[in-house]
Amino acid sequence: MNGIGQTMQKVAMGCVIASCGLLGSAYAASEITVVSWGGSYTAAQKQAFYEPFTKTTGVTVRSQDYNGGLGEIRAQEQAGKVVWDVVVSDMYDVKRACDEGLIERIPLASLGAAPDGTPATKDFLAGTTSECGIGSITLGNVIAYNTTKIAKAPTSLKDFFDTKNFPGKRGLRKSPIVALEWALMADGVAPADVYATLSTPVGLDRAFRKLDTIKKDIVWWEAGAQPLQLLASGDVAMTSAYSGRLFVSQMQGSPYKAVWDGQVWSTDVWMIPKGAPHMKEALAYVKFVSEPARLAELATLTSNGVVRHSALPLIGKYPGTDVNVASHTPTYPDNLKTALQINHDFWNDRQDEIQHRFDRWLLQN
């Protein structure tokens, strides 16, 4: 039996308790529109979420891709014609949309309990839900390196900033988010103190000074596929990368490895636009895909992290392999020891200001 099959077997009773209420329910709509990022991620969602939901409820999921942001939701609401039912987004946009009244509030207590009866309010990881959004998966920003192109393997975030003992270029996403957090942690700031430090002028100066120490060696990237391309070509000795993409490449035989020290992680979140045309079905969908078994299956397929404590032990083996996926996910306990969860409230308040400074810093010699 493969990992996904084992996952489902382990929680058969939990699934019955959590989702059987959906069976036989009368739904007015035969179809809902669920919007996500597309590509292999949406393909995994179809397997873990969409198809089981349709099988359970009889409601078909019409999948649509988008590039993120709130522009389309605003446009639909301003036109008085909302056509999207459920949308996956990041916590940053969910908080903004909630503040603007663009999306519905989703009571966390309305979601199903864990298999052992733990209520959802206590089962979700801190910071993975909000007043208007329910976490779906977590994404980790980690250090990646090519074992065939580096003489000495890095083991810590400090090594990323140490070009004397670990020579070579460094890949970084062209954004102040993660770059500044990493700079402070590499400079000795504890993860718990990063945002308090970054909130002060002195702390922000400190972060940029630390980035200055490797600025001439940085190769900036913007698309998620680029870090692994940089490793393959040898253009960088190490790079920031998304842990899920890195893991899938490893399963395909790449010689890349991850360093989890100082990982910075965030959450993808489900939201329901205000005035969604099929509200009952949309809420049923969010409840269904928030079950621990569903979350574990998506993690098994992608190695993105789960947002509920009870889902972690249900993660199986990567399809077609004997590799247990759980230890390769951002929210695995060992990977959280020195991790930092992105503070979206901080970036909501300060992003424009800090982005402006970051852009000016990029232009300086």
Side-chain angles (χ1 to χ4, degrees):
M1 182 180 294
N2 64 23
I4 295 173
Q6 291 172 334
T7 295
M8 298 309 298
Q9 185 183 60
K10 289 178 183 177
V11 293
M13 183 58 69
C15 288
V16 168
I17 293 170
S19 67
C20 274
L22 299 174
L23 289 169
S25 297
Y27 290 105
S30 60
E31 181 181 87
I32 60 171
T33 299
V34 176
V35 183
S36 187
W37 309 118
S40 60
Y41 179 51
T42 294
Q45 287 180 309
K46 287 179 180 178
Q47 184 174 337
F49 294 164
Y50 303 174
E51 293 168 2
F53 177 72
T54 298
K55 185 176 180 180
T56 301
T57 65
V59 178
T60 301
V61 173
R62 177 178 175 270
S63 179
Q64 187 170 333
D65 301 341
Y66 85 135
N67 293 320
L70 301 176
E72 180 60 27
I73 292 177
R74 289 194 186 101
Q76 289 183 22
E77 295 197 15
Q78 289 169 2
K81 189 177 181 181
V82 178
V83 296
W84 290 354
D85 293 297
V86 186
V87 183
V88 73
S89 185
D90 56 41
M91 189 66 78
Y92 174 74
D93 276 344
V94 167
K95 286 178 178 289
R96 286 199 302 152
C98 193
D99 289 343
E100 293 179 30
L102 294 173
I103 55 179
E104 300 285 349
R105 282 166 170 72
I106 307 175
L108 181 58
S110 69
L111 302 183
D116 67 357
T118 301
T121 52
K122 295 182 178 179
D123 196 33
F124 273 82
L125 277 67
T128 61
T129 64
S130 71
E131 190 177 4
C132 299
I134 302 297
S136 175
I137 54 96
T138 62
L139 304 137
N141 295 271
V142 299
I143 297 168
Y145 65 96
N146 187 334
T147 59
T148 67
K149 295 182 181 292
I150 194 166
K152 183 180 179 182
T155 59
S156 71
L157 182 57
K158 288 186 177 181
D159 296 341
F160 188 87
F161 285 81
D162 183 358
T163 54
K164 179 180 179 180
N165 292 305
F166 298 86
K169 298 290 186 179
R170 303 297 196 257
L172 266 178
R173 180 169 174 259
K174 200 173 185 179
S175 169
I177 302 174
V178 178
L180 294 179
E181 287 94 334
W182 270 12
L184 287 179
M185 288 191 286
D187 203 41
V189 177
D193 298 328
V194 164
Y195 287 107
T197 303
L198 204 55
S199 296
T200 66
V202 171
L204 190 58
D205 288 346
R206 180 178 176 181
F208 276 101
R209 281 199 305 273
K210 188 64 176 179
L211 281 180
D212 280 335
T213 65
I214 61 169
K215 185 177 182 180
K216 66 181 178 61
D217 294 307
I218 296 175
V219 177
W220 299 105
W221 60 265
E222 296 182 66
Q226 287 180 275
L228 304 188
Q229 294 167 357
L230 292 172
L231 290 178
S233 64
D235 288 339
V236 298
M238 58 186 88
T239 180
S240 62
Y242 298 125
S243 61
R245 285 180 178 266
L246 180 61
F247 175 76
V248 170
S249 76
Q250 291 172 330
M251 294 301 95
Q252 295 170 344
S254 78
Y256 310 146
K257 285 193 175 181
V259 176
W260 287 95
D261 181 54
Q263 72 136 327
V264 177
W265 62 280
S266 61
T267 309
D268 267 6
V269 185
W270 293 114
M271 60 182 180
I272 299 175
K274 184 80 72 173
H278 309 113
M279 184 61 63
K280 179 180 179 181
E281 291 80 7
L283 287 168
Y285 172 84
V286 172
K287 181 177 181 179
F288 181 83
V289 301
S290 298
E291 293 174 0
R294 297 290 110 226
L295 299 172
E297 183 165 354
L298 186 64
T300 299
L301 293 170
T302 66
S303 86
N304 291 316
V306 293
V307 293
R308 297 185 68 157
H309 295 288
S310 63
L312 183 66
L314 309 179
I315 299 173
K317 296 179 179 179
Y318 191 72
T321 76
D322 288 325
V323 177
N324 290 311
V325 177
S327 63
H328 300 273
T329 63
T331 45
Y332 186 71
D334 285 350
N335 298 337
L336 287 175
K337 288 180 178 178
T338 59
L340 174 67
Q341 185 177 17
I342 289 179
N343 186 325
H344 295 280
D345 290 329
F346 171 84
W347 285 110
N348 262 321
D349 292 339
R350 302 287 302 277
Q351 184 165 12
D352 289 345
E353 166 207 343
I354 294 176
Q355 183 69 53
H356 181 64
R357 176 169 176 176
F358 182 77
D359 291 341
R360 287 188 286 110
W361 176 81
L362 288 175
L363 297 174
Q364 297 168 357
N365 294 326

